[in-house]
Amino acid sequence: MTWMVIRLVLSLAFVAGVLLFATHLAKKRGLGQGSGLIEVVARQRMGRTSSVSVLRVAGRVLVVGTTDDHVTLLTEVDDEDLDAALAAQGGPALPGSAAEGHAPRAGLAARTGSGPLAGSVLDRGTWTSVVQELRERTVRRS
């Protein structure tokens, strides 16, 4: 029995060491880290394989359409227009915008996570948007 516990502890220590090494290697190579220049302000699915995204890139606000094969620039929007649209929806402006100083809306913050895991399978915001999408698809309408 004692040998099994020792083996379990050693196995867990080995796995933790491998994970720490992989994390160190990923940080060293810059994997999984955004440069901070690109911020996803909003994303709306339009169909099964297409969506429209609003991006803030180096002070410019871009609206792009994405499919499995292409990314297309649809238009460029003024920062003030974006802030006005967000305010009209009942949420304050995003940080870094012309009306800076307000926190983003809770729903918008869930979709636009930041940090090294943003947009990945491990990001909480990704799973929140998946659950919301599934709820939308499974609601019975009479």
Side-chain angles (χ1 to χ4, degrees), residues 44-48 50-52:
Q44 176 66 45
R45 287 187 58 150
M46 303 305 287
R48 193 171 208 180
S50 61
S51 65
V52 174

Side-chain angles (χ1 to χ4, degrees), residues 45-89:
R45 287 187 58 150
M46 303 305 287
R48 193 171 208 180
T49 61
S50 61
S51 65
V52 174
S53 301
V54 180
L55 308 173
R56 184 173 279 129
V57 180
R60 296 171 57 189
V61 179
L62 307 173
V63 179
V64 296
T66 57
T67 65
D68 285 342
D69 301 326
H70 301 291
V71 176
T72 306
L73 176 65
L74 300 176
T75 188
E76 185 172 346
V77 181
D78 290 332
D79 213 12
E80 295 81 23
D81 293 341
L82 176 65
D83 293 338
L86 290 173
Q89 285 185 334

Side-chain angles (χ1 to χ4, degrees), residues 21-35 115-118 120:
F21 177 73
T23 303
H24 175 72
L25 189 63
K27 284 182 182 179
K28 187 175 179 181
R29 293 189 179 187
L31 300 174
Q33 296 179 358
S35 63
L117 298 177
S120 74

Side-chain angles (χ1 to χ4, degrees), residues 64-138:
V64 296
T66 57
T67 65
D68 285 342
D69 301 326
H70 301 291
V71 176
T72 306
L73 176 65
L74 300 176
T75 188
E76 185 172 346
V77 181
D78 290 332
D79 213 12
E80 295 81 23
D81 293 341
L82 176 65
D83 293 338
L86 290 173
Q89 285 185 334
L94 290 173
S97 62
E100 186 174 8
H102 299 284
R105 296 186 341 245
L108 189 60
R111 287 182 283 168
T112 60
S114 61
L117 298 177
S120 74
V121 175
L122 300 175
D123 184 27
R124 181 178 182 202
T126 301
W127 288 105
T128 302
S129 64
V130 167
V131 168
Q132 288 175 351
E133 182 68 25
L134 290 173
R135 284 182 183 158
E136 285 295 318
R137 290 180 183 218
T138 58

